[in-house]
Amino acid sequence: MTTASAAVAPVGATTPLTDDELEQYRRHGYVVIPPDRLSGSLLERARAALPGLLSTDGDERVLERDGETVRSVYGVHRLDDDVAAMTRDPQILGAVEQILGDRAYVHQSKVNVKASFSGDQWEWHQDYVYWLQHDALTRPDLVNVALFLDDVTEFNGPLTFVPGSHSDGVLSGTTSDGMPLGYDEAPEWVATLTATEQFRIEPETIAGLAQSKGLVAPKGVAGSVMLFHPNILHASSGNISPFPRRLLMFIYNAMSNLGKAGDQPRPWFLAEPEPVALEAAS
Ligand code: 6CS
Ligand code: FE
């Protein structure tokens, strides 16, 4: 496992993150790369794939608790060939390999829509605990990569972090049984994808960390890419603005961190069933 400060030899052909950006990620748990440092076609390719992805009506699409608004679509790297190709973008994959110090594959992908006026909250949570508990990934050697499909501002429900909280490991919390309100008839795995978290961290723990480390809501124009640690404590409020805050997200896992195929693996759109090390697109 790469320690918080260890500099690791680049694995792939490119090392897109500067030393300062790598340090920012290691110290604070996130980093934002502006569009001009990335391939110019990423945003238009992602936007072109959206209508097809959002119109899928399988289990991979999760609605908000209003039962109408699309909250997320999962498994998008398996639903659209060009989205799959985007996961191999040299700048993105190179940055992930720099951080992990290993080859990587996409464990999970999704579009989080955060629709205008009705996109619901994400309560305070860490991501890794879900991949530990449900997908048996034994180490937090993953990277969340979010491509901003819209400008992310203070008005449209930006992802909010407790910077540096990724260094505190998996925070204590309680796993709530049963299904969240509005999802009574849904399959069990939906409970990890809704506005009410399945693994809930004590408010006192969240308050203590926020008081000592602060809060930050990184903003950026459409086309920016934000990378964040699987253990960083984060949340986002509902979107009351007329502007959507759509994110295309790839969650990369290190090839050395494959889960033990448990007796009840989650569906293909939540946990990649055939991990293969990605090669950067030429
Ligand atoms: O269960 C999961 O895999 C998803 N749940 C949350 C709360 N974040 C990580 C992941 O997308
Ligand atoms: Fe999350």
Side-chain angles (χ1 to χ4, degrees), residues 64 69-72 111-122 150 156-159 235-241 243-247:
E64 298 286 13
T69 311
V70 178
R71 178 174 175 87
S72 304
V111 173
N112 275 351
V113 178
K114 189 73 78 175
S116 50
F117 297 120
S118 56
D120 208 336
Q121 68 181 23
W122 288 84
D150 302 294
N156 60 351
L159 260 169
S236 60
S237 55
N239 185 1
I240 58 166
S241 87
F243 312 112
R245 189 231 62 189
R246 296 165 298 178
L247 300 178

Side-chain angles (χ1 to χ4, degrees), residues 25 38 79 87 99 114 141 146-147 161 182 190 216 247 253 271 280:
Y25 182 91
L38 298 155
L79 292 173
T87 68
I99 288 171
K114 189 73 78 175
D141 290 359
L147 172 63
F161 296 127
V190 171
V216 62
L247 300 178
N253 185 33

Side-chain angles (χ1 to χ4, degrees), residues 3 39 45 63 86 88 109 141 213 227 237:
T3 55
S39 151
R45 289 164 65 189
L63 298 182
M86 292 172 67
R88 298 172 41 241
S109 64
D141 290 359
K213 298 175 186 256
L227 297 91
S237 55

Side-chain angles (χ1 to χ4, degrees), residues 141-159:
D141 290 359
L142 298 103
V143 182
N144 278 294
V145 175
L147 172 63
F148 293 5
L149 303 186
D150 302 294
D151 293 352
V152 175
T153 71
E154 60 270 42
F155 306 113
N156 60 351
L159 260 169

